[in-house]
């Protein structure tokens, strides 16, 4: 997530006062089958509710008076890819036309170059700020598809080049042992196809040890994680994570909206929980059942949904402005600790 502004203090509590960065999952459909992604397990266990956000729905969630409160929409997925959303073009057009910056993170192996070129042209039309980040994990199809299963590198690079004609384009590479020696080649091939910046991180999804889902952890020191990095932290059993929480949602004025309309502080806290709520499986996740913050959220779920309440009402609620901060010391959620707990070196 990108920074949206400085969080100010009031009455002893952090409150959202500046413009927001809103991370939005526009689709829970995906054309890829990445081994460490939570989506395959969610599909296998039949608790993922596949859906798309329509243009009409998006405008209802974020009418023009609400857009004045928003600096950036970051379209990225936990269970799906924004490129799969049928109304992606119309939604991006609406945001840029009304002065809100947009970033899109996609595997890019869908649609065609003309589609991505047209999306990017909105950037020029409105003298706007659109950034598209394409996932590229190798300089050859064989290398790339070891993780990005089901995607076509040639197609991604074509789409990247088309978009780069009118907007800022970058590449995003997840590093494992199998592709760590190919990173420089990967960056170069992306540069050759219009990418002007590159994000490179080691995989965040080795739960315990150095092997998981048929993949091995990166061993190259150049790509070792900084556990205190903002945006995409890599935090696992290698680090001494404390329960001294510094919430990135408060620090960055950032929020998360899932495909079903539930508004959360971040994508980490919403992961899994949103799908449980969407299925009315209230007591399946015992880790949330034992947490007072999420119990209150789940029991009052319609209040936190943009289909039944306004953005302003939700973010001005006691849950967001007071109870969330209070929970960090009184009853921290395990995801808050894992994601935003300080790391002792």
């Amino acid at each position: 997530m990108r920074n949206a502004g400085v969080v100010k203090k009031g009455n002893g509590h952090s409150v959202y006062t500046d413009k927001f960065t809103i991370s939005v999952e526009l689709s829970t459909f995906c054309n890829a089958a990445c081994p460490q992604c939570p989506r395959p397990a969610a599909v296998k266990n039949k608790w993922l509710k596949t859906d798309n956000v329509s243009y009409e729905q998006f405008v209802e969630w974020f009418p023009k008076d609400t857009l004045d409160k928003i600096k950036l929409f970051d379209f990225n997925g936990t269970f799906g890819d924004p490129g799969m959303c049928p109304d992606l073009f119309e939604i991006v057009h609406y945001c840029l036309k009304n002065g809100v910056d947009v970033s899109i993170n996609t595997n890019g192996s869908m649609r065609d170059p003309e589609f991505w070129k047209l999306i990017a042209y909105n950037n020029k039309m409105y003298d706007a700020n659109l950034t598209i980040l394409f996932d590229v994990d190798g300089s050859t199809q064989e290398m790339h598809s070891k993780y990005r299963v089901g995607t076509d590198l040639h197609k991604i690079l074509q789409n990247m080049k088309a978009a780069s004609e009118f907007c800022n384009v970058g590449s995003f590479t997840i590093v494992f042992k199998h592709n760590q020696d190919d990173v420089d080649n990967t960056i170069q091939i992306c540069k050759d196809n219009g990418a002007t910046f590159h994000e490179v991180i080691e995989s965040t999804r080795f739960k315990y040890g150095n092997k998981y889902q048929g993949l091995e952890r990166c061993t190259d020191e150049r790509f070792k994680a900084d556990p205190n990095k903002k945006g995409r932290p890599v935090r696992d059993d290698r680090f001494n994570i404390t329960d001294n929480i510094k919430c990135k949602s408060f620090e960055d004025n950032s929020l998360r909206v899932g495909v079903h309309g539930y508004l959360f502080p971040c994508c980490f806290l919403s992961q899994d929980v949103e799908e449980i709520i969407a299925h009315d499986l209230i007591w399946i996740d015992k880790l949330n059942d034992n947490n007072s913050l999420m119990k209150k959220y789940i029991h009052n779920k319609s209040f936190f949904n943009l289909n039944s309440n306004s953005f302003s009402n939700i973010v001005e609620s006691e849950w967001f402005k007071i109870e969330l901060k209070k929970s960090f010391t009184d009853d921290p959620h395990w995801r808050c600790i894992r994601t935003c707990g300080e790391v002792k070196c």
Side-chain angles (χ1 to χ4, degrees), residues 87-151:
D87 291 351
L88 178 62
F89 176 88
E90 291 80 4
I91 290 170
V92 171
H93 180 271
Y94 171 72
C95 297
L96 297 179
K97 182 180 179 180
N98 287 286
V100 181
D101 297 346
V102 172
S103 66
I104 302 170
N105 190 175
T106 177
N107 69 55
S109 186
M110 74 287 287
R111 316 279 192 152
D112 57 26
E114 186 64 19
F115 171 83
W116 292 104
K117 186 175 182 178
L118 285 173
I119 275 208
Y121 188 74
N122 286 298
N123 196 53
K124 179 179 180 180
M125 187 187 312
Y126 296 111
D127 190 24
N129 187 10
L130 168 65
T131 300
I132 305 178
L133 191 63
F134 289 88
D135 300 330
V136 182
D137 288 345
S139 64
T140 66
Q141 176 64 27
E142 181 182 8
M143 183 68 73
H144 168 79
S145 62
K146 283 185 179 180
Y147 185 67
R148 300 288 173 183
V149 176
T151 66

Side-chain angles (χ1 to χ4, degrees), residues 213-323:
Q213 296 286 49
L215 299 163
E216 292 188 53
R217 194 194 298 275
C218 163
T219 59
D220 191 323
E221 291 295 330
R222 292 182 300 162
F223 309 117
K224 285 301 182 68
D226 174 0
N228 292 309
K229 177 186 176 182
K230 286 187 176 182
R232 300 178 190 262
V234 176
R235 290 159 161 260
D236 51 44
D237 60 309
R238 294 173 297 170
F239 305 109
N240 181 15
I241 303 171
T242 72
D243 59 3
N244 183 22
I245 296 168
K246 290 190 174 181
C247 176
K248 294 177 176 61
S249 177
F250 281 119
E251 289 182 353
D252 299 344
N253 235 37
S254 57
L255 298 167
R256 172 72 168 183
V257 178
V259 72
H260 310 303
Y262 293 99
L263 181 63
F264 284 91
C266 65
C267 63
F268 302 103
L269 195 58
S270 69
Q271 187 173 335
D272 304 340
V273 178
E274 187 197 1
E275 291 299 327
I276 289 163
I277 294 172
H279 278 78
D280 290 321
L281 305 176
I282 293 177
W283 303 117
I284 281 187
D285 191 339
K286 298 300 181 184
L287 291 172
N288 293 302
D289 182 20
N290 293 329
N291 178 262
S292 58
L293 183 76
M294 292 314 300
K295 279 178 72 173
K296 184 167 184 178
Y297 189 106
I298 291 169
H299 280 296
N300 297 278
K301 63 180 184 176
S302 63
F303 177 88
F304 299 103
N305 194 298
L306 291 170
N307 291 309
S308 55
N309 202 354
S310 72
F311 175 83
S312 294
N313 283 346
I314 299 172
V315 297
E316 290 297 320
S317 69
E318 284 194 7
W319 193 94
F320 270 90
K321 292 179 70 173
I322 297 174
E323 293 177 22

